[in-house]
């Protein structure tokens, strides 16, 4: 039994445009649809989450999702929204990236099910690699006019831009290759709908045109909005660049923090797009949040949900524990539970100083550790005053002026965390 997929997208703010008749067509029976992903890295990033959620909702509505990894198109480069050409990849790298991407998508889509609507992963390199150039221009190229291709925004914007580079023939033909993918999936898998970001509309409709002219059938197009942030900055970017789904590229702690730091306005929008919470659950959270915005209920729920889907409950628990460390609600035991990567993430930007390990073996008095040996505080006198005020902690535990730091204080056999008051941190690294 299919549910109303279009209705689901509308209330979630995930529908930008759809060809007339798409909603009725999808309500008739199970249909196959695809979204293409670029395999130029071995991880997707959160900019890819909207199309991933499109496919996840599609499968949950009872339809069959196809994930197309663009091995062939990844070798060319999509001109949409780009001002420069991309690096081209060899087949071995593409295959590695494809498997890594499939593992990430398996957290959202069911590839293993015996149901008719199990997700399927395909790579356009498999049907494009033996297609000769002459065959392609004869069998595909002759059906689309240059005028038609030139009218697409992705082409117009590049050709008329100030860029002296213009656009290569390779990128110009991109829409034909993507259009052919749609035709191929239509013929081989009865796939009649292509979905993507709103910048893909031109490429998708080239596919529907090929299905009409060569396949003698009808294809449908559906796009979702490109996500923006209310302050105008780019969604999916942090100071360190892309926010990746791979824990090795963006740690679960930093991933969690990205969502936690969302503005109220964006959190209200994102919780509909990036979680599977129901309409009732979300409306109730929004009301609760508006009554006490300072509690950041929406941001916390958003960060919790997305971190669990992309990573795991355990990663979320660790991220929450790590976040609490900065705000004083934690113990030295919590600190010692952090692995080295998370410790460095939490204290990223905190001043550091290196000390030879032998000094710690002999024991270093706290005044020396605070001032002379590290420069955390300006002088021994300031260190004594801070200790008298009971404002100094070592690894989250308050200490007095008689304390000596030793190797037993090391976190991960490497770090010691000094703290003055609630927010003033300093890291000693034993070398």
């Amino acid at each position: 039994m299919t549910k109303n997929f279009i209705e689901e997208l509308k209330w979630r703010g995930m529908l930008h445009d759809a060809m007339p008749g798409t909603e009725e067509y999808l309500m008739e029976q199970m249909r196959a649809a695809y979204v293409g992903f670029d395999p130029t890295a071995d991880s997707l990033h959160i900019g890819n989450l909207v199309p991933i959620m499109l496919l996840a909702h599609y499968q949950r509505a009872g339809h069959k999702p196809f994930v197309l990894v663009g091995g062939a198109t990844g070798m060319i480069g999509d001109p949409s929204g780009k001002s420069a050409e991309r690096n081209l990849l060899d087949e071995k790298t593409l295959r590695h990236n494809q498997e890594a991407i499939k593992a990430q998508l398996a957290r959202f889509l069911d590839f293993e099910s015996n149901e008719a609507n199990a997700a399927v992963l395909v790579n356009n390199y498999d049907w494009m690699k033996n297609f000769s150039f002459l065959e392609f221009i004869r069998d595909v190229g002759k059906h689309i006019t240059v005028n038609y291709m030139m009218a697409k925004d992705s082409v117009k914007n590049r050709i008329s831009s100030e860029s002296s580079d213009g656009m290569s023939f390779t990128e110009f033909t991109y829409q034909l290759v993507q259009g052919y993918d749609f035709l191929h999936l239509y013929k081989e898998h009865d796939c009649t709908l292509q979905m993507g970001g709103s910048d893909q509309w031109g490429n998708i409709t080239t596919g529907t045109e090929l299905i009409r002219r060569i396949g003698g059938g009808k294809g449908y197009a559906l796009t979702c909005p490109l996500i923006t942030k209310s302050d105008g900055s780019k969604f999916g970017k942090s100071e360190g660049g892309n926010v990746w789904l791979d824990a090795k590229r963006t740690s679960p702690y930093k991933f969690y923090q990205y969502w936690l730091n969302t503005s109220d306005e964006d959190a209200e929008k994102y919780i509909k797009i990036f979680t599977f919470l129901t309409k009732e659950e979300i409306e109730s959270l929004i009301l609760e949040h508006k009554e006490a915005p300072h509690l950041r209920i929406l941001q916390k729920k958003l960060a919790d949900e997305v971190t669990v889907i992309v990573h795991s409950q355990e990663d979320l628990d660790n991220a929450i524990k790590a976040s609490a460390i900065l705000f004083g609600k934690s113990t030295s035991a919590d600190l010692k539970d952090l692995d080295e990567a998370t410790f460095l993430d939490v204290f990223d930007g905190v001043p550091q100083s290196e000390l030879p390990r032998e000094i710690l073996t002999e024991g270093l008095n706290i005044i020396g550790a605070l001032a002379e040996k590290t420069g955390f505080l300006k002088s021994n006198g300031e260190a004594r005053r801070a200790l008298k005020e009971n404002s100094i902690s070592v690894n989250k535990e308050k200490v007095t002026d008689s304390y000596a730091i030793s190797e037993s204080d090391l976190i991960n056999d490497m770090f010691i965390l000094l703290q003055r008051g609630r927010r003033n941190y300093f890291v000693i690294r034993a070398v």
Side-chain angles (χ1 to χ4, degrees):
M1 175 60 193
T2 53
K3 297 206 280 282
N4 192 326
F5 171 63
I6 300 284
E7 210 170 79
E8 183 77 17
L9 295 190
K10 279 179 180 165
W11 79 258
R12 288 185 182 275
M14 292 174 74
L15 183 66
H16 185 268
D17 212 345
M19 269 192 178
T22 304
E23 185 168 358
E24 297 74 13
Y25 179 72
L26 293 178
M27 289 306 290
E28 290 169 6
Q29 64 185 70
M30 182 185 87
R31 306 289 187 186
Y34 88 95
V35 171
F37 292 93
D38 172 13
T40 45
D42 61 359
S43 173
L44 298 170
H45 48 78
I46 64 173
N48 301 119
L49 276 179
V50 186
I52 295 173
M53 292 301 277
L54 274 184
L55 285 173
H57 285 301
Y58 194 70
Q59 189 173 40
R60 285 167 175 237
H63 296 292
K64 188 172 182 71
F66 278 76
V67 174
L68 182 141
V69 170
T73 30
M75 288 181 161
I76 301 171
D78 174 6
S80 309
K82 312 244 175 21
S83 54
E85 301 227 1
R86 67 177 58 173
N87 296 328
L88 312 182
L89 302 175
D90 60 62
E91 188 176 354
K92 188 180 171 202
T93 308
L94 284 168
R95 295 295 178 198
H96 163 75
N97 293 356
Q98 173 185 322
E99 287 313 303
I101 287 168
K102 183 177 180 181
Q104 291 180 339
L105 290 168
R107 297 196 66 84
F108 297 83
L109 297 169
D110 184 357
F111 289 95
E112 306 301 324
S113 160
N114 296 321
E115 300 293 324
N117 74 328
V120 179
L121 184 128
V122 291
N123 189 329
N124 62 7
Y125 185 68
D126 294 331
W127 58 83
M128 291 302 296
K129 64 182 173 188
N130 297 321
F131 210 158
S132 78
F133 177 68
L134 290 176
E135 285 174 316
F136 188 79
I137 56 174
R138 181 193 67 195
D139 298 345
V140 181
K142 72 172 183 185
H143 293 280
I144 300 287
T145 66
V146 168
N147 301 28
Y148 179 87
M149 293 170 76
M150 294 283 286
K152 302 289 182 179
D153 287 343
S154 58
V155 174
K156 268 200 307 211
N157 296 345
R158 278 287 288 279
I159 290 178
S160 63
S161 77
E162 261 100 89
S163 157
S164 54
D165 300 339
M167 184 184 205
S168 69
F169 174 73
T170 308
E171 283 199 329
F172 179 60
T173 56
Y174 181 91
Q175 60 171 295
L176 280 184
V177 181
Q178 185 172 326
Y180 181 75
D181 287 341
F182 197 177
L183 176 64
H184 175 88
L185 292 175
Y186 171 80
K187 285 177 169 174
E188 300 297 319
H189 301 283
D190 195 24
C191 183
T192 47
L193 170 64
Q194 187 186 162
M195 305 189 286
S198 58
D199 60 340
Q200 291 296 312
W201 184 261
N203 292 333
I204 297 174
T205 51
T206 300
T208 63
E209 196 63 13
L210 285 175
I211 289 171
R212 184 176 73 79
R213 294 184 184 190
I214 301 175
K218 183 160 175 58
Y220 290 83
L222 182 152
T223 58
C224 55
L226 297 178
I227 301 302
T228 53
K229 285 168 79 170
S230 54
D231 65 2
S233 63
K234 197 167 161 72
F235 170 77
K237 298 272 194 217
S238 67
E239 285 167 20
N242 279 333
V243 179
W244 298 92
L245 304 193
D246 180 358
K248 293 195 280 295
R249 287 171 176 254
T250 299
S251 70
Y253 167 76
K254 281 199 166 160
F255 184 85
Y256 172 77
Q257 286 294 326
Y258 181 85
W259 298 100
L260 200 58
N261 291 325
T262 305
S263 71
D264 285 358
E265 192 182 330
D266 288 337
E268 197 172 313
K269 183 167 74 169
Y270 294 170
I271 201 155
K272 294 173 187 165
I273 297 172
F274 298 109
T275 76
F276 293 112
L277 297 173
T278 65
K279 193 174 186 182
E280 293 69 31
E281 287 172 314
I282 289 174
E283 283 171 353
S284 145
L285 281 164
I286 290 171
L287 279 176
E288 216 182 314
H289 180 89
K290 284 183 171 161
E291 282 165 17
H294 64 284
L295 297 177
R296 297 177 72 73
I297 289 163
L298 275 181
Q299 284 90 338
K300 284 175 183 167
K301 188 64 175 169
L302 171 68
D304 288 3
E305 292 287 320
V306 186
T307 305
V308 169
I309 300 169
V310 171
H311 296 292
S312 68
Q313 183 63 48
E314 187 188 349
D315 286 323
L316 170 65
D317 295 341
N318 289 339
I320 291 172
K321 196 184 285 183
S323 300
I325 282 165
L326 277 178
F327 303 104
K329 306 169 194 151
S330 55
T331 64
S332 83
D334 292 333
L335 264 185
K336 294 195 171 171
D337 280 347
L338 294 184
D339 58 75
E340 182 185 341
T342 310
F343 181 90
L344 289 170
D345 274 347
V346 173
F347 296 103
D348 184 27
V350 167
Q352 294 190 13
S353 174
E354 293 184 346
L355 279 182
R357 194 172 284 268
E358 50 270 25
I359 290 183
L360 300 177
T361 314
E362 296 155 16
L364 171 64
N365 72 72
I366 187 66
I367 290 171
L370 289 169
E372 181 193 344
K373 297 288 184 192
T374 64
F376 174 29
L377 301 184
K378 290 190 182 71
S379 65
N380 289 352
E382 189 181 343
R384 287 194 186 89
R385 278 195 302 280
L387 286 158
K388 203 168 276 179
E389 292 161 1
N390 196 30
S391 66
I392 298 295
S393 303
V394 172
N395 296 342
K396 291 286 176 182
E397 306 284 342
K398 293 278 189 201
V399 296
T400 63
D401 57 7
S402 61
Y403 193 80
I405 289 177
S406 67
E407 277 187 300
S408 64
D409 290 309
L410 288 172
I411 298 161
N412 281 304
D413 197 36
M414 193 183 300
F415 306 107
I416 293 166
L417 181 69
L418 302 179
Q419 189 179 351
R420 180 182 189 176
R422 285 194 62 196
R423 297 289 172 93
N424 207 355
Y425 291 99
F426 191 91
V427 172
I428 294 175
R429 184 194 282 262
V431 291

